[in-house]
Amino acid sequence: MAKSPKSKKKKKVPSNLGEEKVKVYLRLRPMDKLETSKRSKDCIELHENPKLLTVDSPLLGSFDFSFDQVFDEYTPQLEVYKQSMSSIPKRLLNGISCAVMAYGQTGSGKTHTMLGEGMGVELNVRALGLEEDQEAVAGGENVTDPRRNPEVTEGMIPRVVADLLERLDDAPDG
C-alpha cells in the first residue's frame, strides 16, 4: 500500500479573526465652491448617534440611513483611520485577507480620503525622514502641506502602509 504524502501543517487562524462582516463607513465632504456660490441647502442631517444620518430630498422626502460610522466633513484623517482602518495591518499580519473600497460620485472625496492631500507623497516624506520643523507646523504654518506635516494630511493607504512597515520592523526576526 502506497503511503500518502505528508501534508504540511497549516497555521491555524483563530476563527473569530476571520469572521467579520463587511463594514460600511460614510465620510461627508464639505460643500464645494459651486454649491456654496449657489447657496445650496445641505440636505444631510447628522444625529447624535454617529451611525445615523437623514437625507432630506425636496422632491422625495426624508430618508434615514445607518452605517457602521458616519464621519462629518470636519473629521481629521487620523480619526477616520483610527476608527475605520487601524485594525487592518494587524489582521493582514495574522494572515487574514482584507479589502477596502472607496465608492462615490466624482468629486466626493475618495482620493482625498484614501491618498490624502499630497496624493500619497506623505509616505515618502515619512519614510525618508524629510519632515520639516514641527514647531513651524504647530504654529500654524502650512499645516496642510504634506511635506511639512504628513501625519495630518496623509490618507488611509499611506497610514496602512506605514503601520504595516512599523509592525514588521518591530517584529522579532523569524
Side-chain angles (χ1 to χ4, degrees), residues 1-120:
M1 192 187 310
K3 290 185 177 179
S4 62
K6 290 184 179 179
S7 61
K8 293 183 180 179
K9 287 187 177 181
K10 292 183 179 179
K11 184 178 177 184
K12 188 170 182 176
V13 177
S15 63
N16 63 340
L17 289 177
E19 297 177 8
E20 190 169 313
K21 65 180 177 117
V22 172
K23 292 187 177 183
V24 180
Y25 297 93
L26 177 79
R27 186 175 195 189
L28 299 175
R29 66 158 176 81
M31 281 202 245
D32 62 24
K33 290 178 184 177
L34 179 63
E35 292 165 333
T36 304
S37 71
K38 287 187 169 188
R39 296 183 182 184
S40 297
K41 178 187 172 207
D42 189 355
C43 63
I44 306 289
E45 178 189 347
L46 297 176
H47 301 279
E48 194 170 311
N49 181 341
K51 297 180 178 203
L52 303 175
L53 67 78
T54 301
V55 176
D56 183 19
S57 168
L59 299 175
L60 302 173
S62 292
F63 298 91
D64 295 321
F65 296 94
S66 62
F67 300 89
D68 287 291
Q69 179 76 35
V70 176
F71 301 104
D72 68 20
E73 60 267 38
Y74 306 108
T75 306
Q77 295 279 58
L78 180 59
E79 188 66 26
V80 173
Y81 178 74
K82 283 181 179 178
Q83 292 192 34
S84 65
M85 297 184 61
S86 62
S87 66
I88 289 176
K90 181 179 180 183
R91 296 173 65 79
L92 286 170
L93 293 174
N94 282 327
I96 299 169
S97 296
C98 300
V100 176
M101 291 178 21
Y103 178 81
Q105 184 175 342
T106 300
S108 63
K110 301 176 299 292
T111 302
H112 168 78
T113 297
M114 297 307 290
L115 291 178
E117 292 287 324
M119 303 292 282

Side-chain angles (χ1 to χ4, degrees), residues 103-140:
Y103 178 81
Q105 184 175 342
T106 300
S108 63
K110 301 176 299 292
T111 302
H112 168 78
T113 297
M114 297 307 290
L115 291 178
E117 292 287 324
M119 303 292 282
V121 73
E122 296 91 347
L123 188 57
N124 289 333
V125 170
R126 285 187 13 159
L128 299 173
L130 301 175
E131 295 98 335
E132 293 189 20
D133 183 11
Q134 293 300 308
E135 288 181 23
V137 171

